Amino acid sequence: MAQKKSEKTRRREILDAALRCFSKKGYHETTVNDIVKESKLTKGGIYWYFKGKKEIFMAVIEEYLREDKIFWEEILKKYKPGPELLIEAGSLYLKRCLEDKSFSAFYAEFSAEAYRDKAIKGRIANLYREWQRMIKGALDCAIQRGGMKPLDSESLANGIIALVDGLKEQYWTNKIDYEKTWRTFARALLEGIAK
């Protein structure tokens, strides 16, 4: 007798299938039927968990935000606040985003949809606020410990986020060596702000 899967497992299967669909076809071209086919569930099974495609898309975003927060929290525990933390965190984050092909495509789709949909824009704004809060906190800690010049940590955090986003875009369109570029630029920047 087949063992019944938990609701959490089923929901995860739907979100994984949706991620693959959105990554392949984009948000607008993906249908609930595509997600049904990819997940190997019934349409009723999908609608048991989600009201429709937009709710599924938003749930994939929320799952990413949750995983991203856990990722950053683990990085902050592993490295001492300061320049090395930012170099390593940026490198690991870029690798996480860029080496997972389905996620890279989904992130690009998620960003594009943020321009069209206020709810999605709100989710991406939350993502950026969370990144900014964590990076600013690491910078503030390094400043307090005397490892960095006293600078506007909020603006610096925003600049670091912009650099990471720009590197992702350059990698997707130009296949640059993101690891080398990040480490070179981040080290030059952070050596300039070190005490």
Side-chain angles (χ1 to χ4, degrees):
M1 180 195 273
Q3 188 176 16
K4 186 177 176 185
K5 293 182 181 178
S6 71
E7 284 194 21
K8 185 177 178 181
T9 301
R10 282 279 188 231
R11 191 173 192 281
R12 177 82 251 171
E13 288 174 348
I14 295 167
L15 295 179
D16 288 345
L19 174 63
R20 289 188 299 273
C21 291
F22 293 134
S23 296
K24 285 183 221 167
K25 296 177 80 174
Y27 176 74
H28 291 285
E29 296 299 316
T30 296
T31 65
V32 172
N33 285 335
D34 293 326
I35 298 168
V36 166
K37 185 176 178 182
E38 184 71 25
S39 68
K40 297 176 178 62
L41 296 172
T42 64
K43 199 176 234 186
I46 301 288
Y47 283 115
W48 177 260
Y49 295 95
F50 300 99
K51 292 177 186 170
K53 179 174 80 168
K54 183 174 180 181
E55 190 174 312
I56 296 168
F57 190 73
M58 298 297 271
V60 173
I61 292 168
E62 289 300 322
E63 184 65 20
Y64 168 73
L65 295 177
R66 187 187 67 71
E67 289 172 6
D68 195 62
K69 185 174 182 182
I70 292 167
F71 171 84
W72 280 106
E73 287 169 352
E74 288 173 2
I75 291 290
L76 291 171
K77 287 178 195 171
K78 187 174 179 180
Y79 294 96
K80 182 177 91 177
E84 282 306 311
L85 171 125
L86 294 173
I87 291 169
E88 292 307 316
S91 179
L92 290 169
Y93 183 73
L94 284 163
K95 182 175 180 146
R96 175 178 176 244
C97 289
L98 299 175
E99 308 247 337
D100 179 343
K101 301 296 184 219
S102 65
F103 180 75
S104 293
F106 178 76
Y107 188 84
E109 190 67 20
F110 167 36
S111 296
E113 282 304 307
Y115 290 101
R116 299 180 194 105
D117 186 295
K118 286 182 181 181
I120 295 169
K121 184 177 184 175
R123 293 301 200 290
I124 206 166
N126 288 340
L127 171 69
Y128 282 113
R129 278 192 292 276
E130 188 65 23
W131 286 346
Q132 191 246 23
R133 182 189 65 74
M134 287 186 277
I135 294 169
K136 180 184 181 310
L139 293 169
D140 287 341
C141 189
I143 290 167
Q144 289 168 0
R145 291 181 178 183
M148 270 179 54
K149 296 174 186 172
L151 296 167
D152 177 356
S153 59
E154 184 175 322
S155 295
L156 187 55
N158 289 333
I160 290 168
I161 292 166
L163 172 62
V164 168
D165 274 354
L167 285 173
K168 287 190 289 188
E169 188 66 33
Q170 283 292 307
Y171 178 78
W172 290 327
T173 57
N174 227 7
K175 292 295 181 210
I176 65 165
D177 182 344
Y178 69 85
E179 176 77 16
K180 179 181 176 187
T181 303
W182 166 256
R183 286 186 178 278
T184 301
F185 189 86
R187 187 153 310 279
L189 170 72
L190 295 170
E191 285 174 2
I193 63 174
K195 236 180 178 180

